[in-house]
Amino acid sequence: MLSNNYKAKNPANLISNPAGAAVDRLAALGLPDKELFLPAGLLGFPACRHYKLEPFEPGDGSESPFLLLNAVGHDLTFPLIHPASMGLDYRFPRSAELLAALGARAPEDLLPLLIVTLRETLEEITVNLQGPLIVNPTAALGAQLVLEDQPLRHPLLKPEAAEDLMRSR
Amino acid sequence: MLILSRKSGESIAIGDDITITIVTISGSQVRLGIAAPREVRVLREEIYKAMQEENRAAANVPDSGRKLEDALKQLQSKKPGEPDK
Protein backbone atom coordinates (compact mmCIF):
# COMPACT_ATOMS: atom_id res chain seq x y z
CA MET A 1 0.00 0.00 0.00
CA LEU A 2 1.41 3.37 -0.97
CA SER A 3 1.81 5.90 1.83
CA ASN A 4 3.49 9.29 2.00
CA ASN A 5 5.82 7.93 4.65
CA TYR A 6 7.06 5.21 2.35
CA LYS A 7 7.63 7.71 -0.43
CA ALA A 8 9.68 10.01 1.84
CA LYS A 9 12.00 7.16 2.87
CA ASN A 10 12.51 6.13 -0.70
CA PRO A 11 15.66 7.49 -2.31
CA ALA A 12 15.01 5.86 -5.68
CA ASN A 13 11.37 6.84 -5.42
CA LEU A 14 10.35 3.21 -5.86
CA ILE A 15 6.60 2.98 -5.74
CA SER A 16 5.08 -0.45 -5.44
CA ASN A 17 1.83 0.26 -7.16
CA PRO A 18 2.02 3.60 -8.95
CA ALA A 19 -1.13 5.57 -9.71
CA GLY A 20 -2.10 4.70 -13.25
CA ALA A 21 -2.10 1.10 -12.06
CA ALA A 22 0.48 -0.15 -14.53
CA VAL A 23 0.86 -3.23 -12.42
CA ASP A 24 -2.90 -3.75 -12.34
CA ARG A 25 -2.96 -3.63 -16.11
CA LEU A 26 -0.20 -6.18 -16.17
CA ALA A 27 -2.45 -8.29 -14.00
CA ALA A 28 -4.63 -8.51 -17.11
CA LEU A 29 -1.91 -10.88 -18.27
CA GLY A 30 -3.19 -13.21 -15.58
CA LEU A 31 0.15 -13.23 -13.81
CA PRO A 32 1.74 -15.65 -13.62
CA ASP A 33 -0.36 -18.13 -15.54
CA LYS A 34 -0.84 -16.52 -18.93
CA GLU A 35 2.09 -16.57 -21.29
CA LEU A 36 3.58 -13.51 -22.91
CA PHE A 37 4.69 -13.99 -26.51
CA LEU A 38 7.60 -12.01 -27.95
CA PRO A 39 7.56 -12.62 -31.73
CA ALA A 40 11.18 -11.45 -32.07
CA GLY A 41 12.40 -12.49 -28.63
CA LEU A 42 14.93 -10.35 -26.80
CA LEU A 43 18.15 -9.29 -28.51
CA GLY A 44 20.70 -12.04 -27.95
CA PHE A 45 18.01 -14.63 -27.10
CA PRO A 46 16.18 -15.31 -30.35
CA ALA A 47 15.23 -18.89 -29.38
CA CYS A 48 13.14 -17.75 -26.40
CA ARG A 49 9.81 -16.24 -27.34
CA HIS A 50 7.45 -17.50 -24.66
CA TYR A 51 7.67 -15.97 -21.22
CA LYS A 52 5.75 -15.69 -18.00
CA LEU A 53 5.67 -12.46 -16.07
CA GLU A 54 5.29 -12.59 -12.31
CA PRO A 55 5.68 -10.16 -9.44
CA PHE A 56 8.89 -10.48 -7.46
CA GLU A 57 7.88 -11.21 -3.90
CA PRO A 58 10.50 -10.62 -1.20
CA GLY A 59 10.80 -13.35 1.43
CA ASP A 60 9.32 -11.18 4.15
CA GLY A 61 6.10 -10.70 2.18
CA SER A 62 6.61 -6.97 1.68
CA GLU A 63 5.62 -5.27 -1.57
CA SER A 64 8.09 -4.74 -4.34
CA PRO A 65 7.91 -2.92 -7.67
CA PHE A 66 10.01 -5.59 -9.37
CA LEU A 67 8.72 -8.19 -11.80
CA LEU A 68 10.38 -11.31 -13.11
CA LEU A 69 10.33 -12.29 -16.77
CA ASN A 70 10.81 -16.06 -16.92
CA ALA A 71 11.29 -17.88 -20.20
CA VAL A 72 9.08 -20.93 -20.71
CA GLY A 73 11.10 -24.06 -21.36
CA HIS A 74 14.45 -22.34 -20.88
CA ASP A 75 16.41 -21.54 -17.78
CA LEU A 76 16.29 -17.81 -18.36
CA THR A 77 15.05 -15.01 -16.17
CA PHE A 78 15.22 -11.20 -16.15
CA PRO A 79 14.17 -8.75 -13.45
CA LEU A 80 11.96 -5.92 -14.74
CA ILE A 81 10.55 -2.69 -13.42
CA HIS A 82 7.96 -0.26 -14.76
CA PRO A 83 9.55 3.20 -15.22
CA ALA A 84 6.73 4.83 -13.25
CA SER A 85 7.85 2.75 -10.25
CA MET A 86 11.12 4.68 -10.39
CA GLY A 87 9.39 8.03 -10.82
CA LEU A 88 10.70 8.22 -14.38
CA ASP A 89 8.76 10.13 -17.00
CA TYR A 90 9.59 7.62 -19.68
CA ARG A 91 8.52 8.07 -23.28
CA PHE A 92 8.85 5.71 -26.19
CA PRO A 93 7.66 6.07 -29.79
CA ARG A 94 4.26 4.44 -30.30
CA SER A 95 4.36 4.04 -34.05
CA ALA A 96 1.53 2.58 -36.07
CA GLU A 97 3.86 -0.30 -36.88
CA LEU A 98 4.51 -1.04 -33.21
CA LEU A 99 0.81 -0.95 -32.39
CA ALA A 100 0.07 -3.31 -35.27
CA ALA A 101 2.89 -5.68 -34.29
CA LEU A 102 1.56 -5.91 -30.72
CA GLY A 103 -2.13 -6.05 -31.65
CA ALA A 104 -2.83 -2.75 -29.93
CA ARG A 105 -5.75 -0.57 -30.97
CA ALA A 106 -4.59 2.53 -29.10
CA PRO A 107 -1.20 3.83 -27.89
CA GLU A 108 -2.44 3.58 -24.28
CA ASP A 109 -2.67 -0.19 -24.69
CA LEU A 110 1.13 -0.40 -24.57
CA LEU A 111 3.24 -0.53 -21.39
CA PRO A 112 7.01 -0.19 -21.12
CA LEU A 113 8.96 -2.47 -18.82
CA LEU A 114 12.64 -1.93 -18.18
CA ILE A 115 15.16 -4.71 -17.78
CA VAL A 116 17.15 -4.39 -14.56
CA THR A 117 20.83 -5.30 -14.63
CA LEU A 118 21.75 -6.39 -11.13
CA ARG A 119 25.33 -5.95 -10.07
CA GLU A 120 27.38 -6.53 -6.95
CA THR A 121 26.62 -3.21 -5.29
CA LEU A 122 23.32 -1.37 -5.07
CA GLU A 123 24.65 1.85 -6.54
CA GLU A 124 25.81 -0.03 -9.66
CA ILE A 125 22.40 -1.52 -10.46
CA THR A 126 21.06 -0.07 -13.69
CA VAL A 127 17.94 -0.21 -15.84
CA ASN A 128 18.03 -0.38 -19.63
CA LEU A 129 16.20 2.65 -21.03
CA GLN A 130 17.54 2.02 -24.53
CA GLY A 131 15.96 -1.42 -24.88
CA PRO A 132 12.53 -1.34 -23.22
CA LEU A 133 10.27 -4.35 -23.36
CA ILE A 134 6.98 -2.98 -24.70
CA VAL A 135 4.01 -5.09 -23.71
CA ASN A 136 0.38 -5.19 -24.74
CA PRO A 137 -1.11 -6.95 -21.70
CA THR A 138 -4.49 -7.58 -23.34
CA ALA A 139 -3.00 -9.37 -26.34
CA ALA A 140 -0.15 -10.86 -24.27
CA LEU A 141 2.35 -9.71 -26.88
CA GLY A 142 5.64 -7.93 -26.38
CA ALA A 143 8.70 -6.64 -28.21
CA GLN A 144 12.02 -5.14 -27.22
CA LEU A 145 12.58 -1.80 -28.92
CA VAL A 146 15.97 -0.20 -29.51
CA LEU A 147 15.87 3.53 -28.78
CA GLU A 148 19.32 4.78 -29.68
CA ASP A 149 18.91 8.16 -27.99
CA GLN A 150 18.26 6.60 -24.59
CA PRO A 151 20.95 5.34 -22.21
CA LEU A 152 21.67 1.65 -22.02
CA ARG A 153 22.47 1.92 -18.32
CA HIS A 154 20.49 4.25 -16.11
CA PRO A 155 21.14 3.99 -12.37
CA LEU A 156 18.35 2.56 -10.26
CA LEU A 157 19.39 4.77 -7.39
CA LYS A 158 19.36 8.55 -7.55
CA PRO A 159 22.86 10.17 -7.36
CA GLU A 160 22.29 11.71 -3.89
CA ALA A 161 21.17 8.39 -2.50
CA ALA A 162 24.11 6.57 -4.10
CA GLU A 163 26.50 9.07 -2.49
CA ASP A 164 24.84 8.57 0.91
CA LEU A 165 25.22 4.86 0.50
CA MET A 166 28.90 5.05 -0.36
CA ARG A 167 29.63 7.50 2.47
CA SER A 168 27.91 5.26 4.97
CA ARG A 169 30.24 2.34 4.25
CA MET B 1 31.56 -13.07 -45.19
CA LEU B 2 30.65 -12.34 -48.82
CA ILE B 3 32.60 -9.35 -50.21
CA LEU B 4 31.08 -7.37 -53.06
CA SER B 5 32.01 -4.09 -54.70
CA ARG B 6 29.28 -1.61 -55.48
CA LYS B 7 29.15 1.90 -56.85
CA SER B 8 26.88 4.69 -55.74
CA GLY B 9 23.32 3.91 -56.72
CA GLU B 10 23.89 0.15 -56.96
CA SER B 11 22.19 -2.36 -54.70
CA ILE B 12 22.48 -5.77 -53.09
CA ALA B 13 19.58 -8.21 -52.69
CA ILE B 14 19.60 -10.36 -49.52
CA GLY B 15 17.12 -13.24 -49.57
CA ASP B 16 13.81 -12.32 -51.11
CA ASP B 17 12.90 -9.45 -48.82
CA ILE B 18 15.93 -7.30 -48.14
CA THR B 19 17.68 -4.78 -50.37
CA ILE B 20 20.67 -2.63 -49.50
CA THR B 21 21.42 0.36 -51.72
CA ILE B 22 24.53 2.53 -51.79
CA VAL B 23 22.96 6.01 -51.65
CA THR B 24 26.09 8.17 -51.57
CA ILE B 25 29.79 7.78 -51.00
CA SER B 26 31.52 10.76 -49.45
CA GLY B 27 35.14 10.44 -48.44
CA SER B 28 35.35 7.53 -46.01
CA GLN B 29 31.64 7.51 -45.28
CA VAL B 30 29.03 5.45 -47.09
CA ARG B 31 25.36 6.26 -46.90
CA LEU B 32 23.26 3.08 -47.13
CA GLY B 33 19.58 2.60 -47.76
CA ILE B 34 18.02 -0.54 -46.31
CA ALA B 35 14.68 -1.89 -47.44
CA ALA B 36 13.49 -4.73 -45.23
CA PRO B 37 10.21 -6.06 -43.79
CA ARG B 38 9.23 -4.28 -40.59
CA GLU B 39 9.79 -7.40 -38.50
CA VAL B 40 13.46 -7.46 -39.44
CA ARG B 41 15.53 -5.40 -37.01
CA VAL B 42 18.06 -3.15 -38.74
CA LEU B 43 20.62 -1.62 -36.41
CA ARG B 44 24.12 -0.21 -36.47
CA GLU B 45 26.16 -3.21 -35.40
CA GLU B 46 27.74 -1.59 -32.35
CA ILE B 47 24.28 -0.70 -31.02
CA TYR B 48 23.08 -4.25 -31.60
CA LYS B 49 26.13 -5.72 -29.88
CA ALA B 50 25.88 -3.40 -26.90
CA MET B 51 22.19 -4.20 -26.43
CA GLN B 52 22.85 -7.92 -26.73
CA GLU B 53 25.59 -7.63 -24.11
CA GLU B 54 23.38 -5.69 -21.74
CA ASN B 55 20.56 -8.24 -22.09
CA ARG B 56 23.06 -11.01 -21.38
CA ALA B 57 24.39 -9.18 -18.34
CA ALA B 58 20.85 -8.87 -17.02
CA ALA B 59 19.97 -12.53 -17.60
CA ASN B 60 20.20 -15.13 -14.85
CA VAL B 61 22.23 -13.00 -12.46
CA PRO B 62 23.34 -15.36 -9.65
CA ASP B 63 21.60 -14.72 -6.34
CA SER B 64 19.20 -12.28 -8.00
CA GLY B 65 16.47 -12.90 -5.43
CA ARG B 66 18.78 -11.89 -2.60
CA LYS B 67 20.11 -8.90 -4.58
CA LEU B 68 16.59 -7.64 -5.28
CA GLU B 69 15.67 -8.10 -1.62
CA ASP B 70 18.84 -6.30 -0.52
CA ALA B 71 18.08 -3.47 -2.93
CA LEU B 72 14.60 -3.14 -1.46
CA LYS B 73 15.87 -3.30 2.14
CA GLN B 74 18.52 -0.65 1.55
CA LEU B 75 16.05 1.59 -0.21
CA GLN B 76 13.55 1.30 2.62
CA SER B 77 16.09 1.98 5.40
CA LYS B 78 18.06 4.86 3.92
CA LYS B 79 17.53 8.43 5.06
CA PRO B 80 14.98 10.36 2.97
CA GLY B 81 15.84 11.70 -0.48
CA GLU B 82 13.74 14.12 -2.46
CA PRO B 83 11.04 12.26 -4.39
CA ASP B 84 10.96 12.88 -8.13
CA LYS B 85 8.31 15.22 -9.49
Side-chain angles (χ1 to χ4, degrees), chain B residues 11-48:
Chain B
S11 299
I12 297 167
I14 299 177
D16 293 321
D17 304 316
I18 300 171
T19 304
I20 310 212
T21 305
I22 313 295
V23 173
T24 53
I25 302 171
S26 166
S28 61
Q29 197 174 62
V30 178
R31 204 167 174 78
L32 298 168
I34 300 113
R38 67 155 194 243
E39 61 269 15
V40 177
R41 234 188 261 112
V42 179
L43 295 170
R44 289 174 179 76
E45 198 208 25
E46 63 274 16
I47 303 278
Y48 172 78

Side-chain angles (χ1 to χ4, degrees), chain A residues 3-52:
Chain A
S3 72
N4 283 337
N5 211 25
Y6 177 73
K7 215 166 166 179
K9 282 193 280 191
N10 206 336
N13 205 30
L14 290 188
I15 306 164
S16 282
N17 198 11
V23 175
D24 290 341
R25 289 179 56 202
L26 287 169
L29 271 169
L31 311 182
D33 298 319
K34 196 163 159 192
E35 280 184 19
L36 182 66
F37 181 60
L38 272 53
L42 295 174
L43 271 83
F45 299 93
C48 301
R49 291 161 204 265
H50 296 271
Y51 289 86
K52 282 191 181 167

